[in-house]
Amino acid sequence: MQIDWGKIFSYINGQTDKKTVEEVEFWRKEDPRNEEFYQRASDYYANQPTRNESFSEEKLDQFYSKLQKTRRRKHQRVLWQRMTVAASVILLLSLGTWWYYDMNPDKMDGMQIAMKSENAGESVFIITETGDKLTAEQLNSKMDQQTNDNQLNYTKSDSIYRVDTVKEKEIIPAHTVVVPRGKTFELVLSDGTFVLLNPQSELTYPVKFDSTSTREVTLRGEGYFEVTKSSNRFVVNTDNMKLQVYGTTFNVISRDSLPDEAVLVEGVVGITPKNSSDGKEIVLHPGDKSFVDKLGQLTVTQTDLAEYTAKRNGYILFNGKTIKQVISSLELYYDVQFIVKNDAILKKKEYVFSIKKHASLREALDMIEFVSDVKFLIEGKEVKIVE
């Protein structure tokens, strides 16, 4: 029996109806592993007065240490299939990683390792208004600021735009940051808006927003936005849609051949398909996921938000994904190509697990090998799937 994580979370906190109580209690009795998992979750949350706070790596590391002291050594595998994660991110990421490390105590230290780049690959670069291609470090020097090579912060300097003294008009140039496969990049726009760009993404934006007009950017690829509140609307343009917000948090995906996707985490946004006949705006609420295709057709469904907020907190969460879907994402994050001979074996089951975004490719593959029957062989930038 599969069960919604949100029901377990509500049951533990005593905030559910009679029907859900009966469902969870039946699930607990159905399998000893379910009861053991429930007890671990319940015990952990009983000692967490701030259990509804957002996830932090520090909390997860503390939880790891706690489980290290109490874990039982086991030799059999436990394969957890799809469960819809409607609980808080810390519940899923803490407990979702528990069964992996509880069964593999020797692998515990490996999860704490920062990214070990197995090949440098292309660098993130910024195309300026003059067409120059600069790395983040090179542009930082022009902006008279010091930030690391994985982030640009436009709120710290006014030296990158100028005033046309003849026309007495401020000239605000636009920049485009290009993030290749195998990289992620953080951007703080001039109004303080935070953007996390995922692999194979581009964002075009003004280096400074005009205080009297709409704040507008254009995205290709995937970006997670935390928009600073303002009286001026913030607009994200993609190939197929226009997304308008005030102050909010959301994730946008716009990739070739696929419908554009928007997921709202906080606040309210309006989606307008660019090719629709009526140009009507559809309002999204937290938990809504919208899809807009090239014909302007828009659909809205409900989704769990943990998968999107996890990225902000340094994790890649696979929530009910097949191995085929998982390796498709890993190709972007690690700039590799998976070689598959028997595609059918990759679609049989769905899994829930997470990996640190800065884990090495080998560490990520070790996790997949543990929860599934699939094995991998790394040969340069190719990863062969061995049956």
Side-chain angles (χ1 to χ4, degrees):
M1 175 185 174
Q2 299 177 4
I3 192 167
D4 190 307
W5 278 85
K7 294 179 180 179
I8 299 175
F9 181 70
S10 299
Y11 179 88
I12 290 173
N13 288 280
Q15 299 174 347
T16 188
D17 55 30
K18 181 179 179 181
K19 182 179 179 181
T20 301
V21 169
E22 293 174 351
E23 185 177 345
V24 174
E25 290 181 349
F26 179 82
W27 172 81
R28 289 174 59 187
K29 295 176 183 178
E30 186 180 39
D31 190 320
R33 295 174 300 181
N34 294 348
E35 176 62 20
E36 184 178 4
F37 187 84
Y38 166 77
Q39 290 298 336
R40 288 286 182 120
S42 181
D43 291 346
Y44 175 68
Y45 271 82
N47 297 316
Q48 297 297 315
T50 57
R51 56 180 173 264
N52 288 323
E53 290 182 355
S54 60
F55 166 78
S56 72
E57 186 171 330
E58 180 183 1
K59 291 177 185 176
L60 183 55
D61 288 341
Q62 291 172 354
F63 188 54
Y64 283 156
S65 298
K66 180 179 178 180
L67 291 179
Q68 278 284 75
K69 296 177 182 178
T70 61
R71 70 174 187 270
R72 302 172 184 174
R73 295 181 180 274
K74 299 182 180 180
H75 300 288
Q76 72 274 22
R77 289 184 177 184
V78 178
L79 301 182
W80 292 89
Q81 297 186 13
R82 179 170 189 172
M83 288 177 271
T84 304
V85 187
S88 65
V89 178
I90 187 171
L91 175 65
L92 177 69
L93 294 182
S94 297
L95 300 180
T97 50
W98 160 69
W99 50 260
Y100 175 61
Y101 288 104
D102 201 38
M103 308 304 160
N104 293 267
D106 295 336
K107 292 184 180 290
M108 187 67 158
D109 294 336
M111 191 63 171
Q112 308 301 326
I113 300 173
M115 172 173 271
K116 300 184 292 293
S117 180
E118 298 182 7
N119 55 71
E122 297 180 62
S123 298
V124 175
F125 62 88
I126 296 87
I127 303 175
T128 69
E129 69 280 5
T130 60
D132 294 330
K133 291 184 179 181
L134 305 176
T135 65
E137 185 178 27
Q138 290 171 328
L139 187 60
N140 280 338
S141 65
K142 288 180 175 293
M143 295 168 66
D144 299 327
Q145 63 164 310
Q146 292 295 321
T147 58
N148 61 52
D149 60 1
N150 195 48
Q151 185 186 81
L152 272 180
N153 189 335
Y154 284 81
T155 67
K156 294 184 178 180
S157 174
D158 291 333
S159 64
I160 52 174
Y161 38 85
R162 58 190 174 82
V163 175
D164 186 327
T165 55
V166 176
K167 298 181 179 179
E168 297 184 352
K169 181 180 180 181
E170 189 175 47
I171 305 300
I172 302 178
H175 286 176
T176 298
V177 60
V178 180
V179 184
R181 287 162 60 103
K183 305 286 185 180
T184 60
F185 194 76
E186 296 179 359
L187 196 65
V188 182
L189 301 178
S190 66
D191 65 340
T193 290
F194 172 87
V195 187
L196 171 61
L197 292 168
N198 284 313
Q200 200 170 318
S201 300
E202 297 180 14
L203 185 74
T204 300
Y205 51 91
V207 299
K208 177 185 177 183
F209 288 115
D210 186 337
S211 61
T212 63
S213 60
T214 299
R215 300 169 289 167
E216 196 158 358
V217 300
T218 299
L219 174 73
R220 295 191 66 185
E222 179 175 4
Y224 178 90
F225 293 78
E226 293 177 355
V227 177
T228 299
K229 291 184 179 180
S230 169
S231 58
N232 298 327
R233 283 200 174 191
F234 191 97
V235 172
V236 179
N237 291 295
T238 68
D239 286 345
N240 300 319
M241 69 180 180
K242 180 178 182 179
L243 184 150
Q244 299 190 75
V245 306
Y246 284 106
T248 193
T249 302
F250 55 92
N251 195 85
V252 180
I253 301 177
S254 177
R255 298 197 184 277
D256 294 341
S257 75
L258 296 173
D260 288 355
E261 173 190 312
V263 175
L264 181 60
V265 179
E266 295 178 0
V268 178
V269 303
I271 302 293
T272 305
K274 289 188 174 179
N275 296 322
S276 65
S277 57
D278 56 11
K280 183 179 179 181
E281 182 180 80
I282 302 298
V283 175
L284 300 187
H285 300 281
D288 284 347
K289 175 192 280 190
S290 69
F291 298 92
V292 180
D293 62 21
K294 295 183 182 300
L295 300 177
Q297 297 295 317
L298 184 149
T299 57
V300 179
T301 63
Q302 280 284 304
T303 188
D304 178 71
L305 297 175
E307 186 173 335
Y308 302 92
T309 55
K311 294 177 184 178
R312 179 67 168 95
N313 295 301
Y315 279 78
I316 308 171
L317 170 62
F318 298 103
N319 174 21
K321 302 296 185 183
T322 64
I323 300 300
K324 182 177 177 64
Q325 292 172 315
V326 170
I327 64 176
S328 177
S329 293
L330 295 186
E331 285 184 331
L332 290 178
Y333 277 95
Y334 293 97
D335 190 19
V336 294
Q337 181 180 2
F338 284 82
I339 308 301
V340 184
K341 291 184 178 180
N342 183 2
D343 192 61
I345 66 171
L346 306 182
K347 302 178 181 179
K348 291 181 179 179
K349 294 180 180 179
E350 296 174 325
Y351 301 91
V352 175
F353 65 96
S354 62
I355 59 175
K356 279 191 175 181
K357 192 164 59 177
H358 298 307
S360 70
L361 174 60
R362 184 66 263 175
E363 288 171 323
L365 298 180
D366 284 345
M367 171 68 89
I368 302 172
E369 287 182 350
F370 182 79
V371 302
S372 72
D373 295 324
V374 179
K375 303 297 179 184
F376 301 95
L377 177 63
I378 302 175
E379 295 183 350
K381 297 190 72 171
E382 290 186 347
V383 181
K384 293 183 178 180
I385 296 180
V386 183
E387 297 183 40

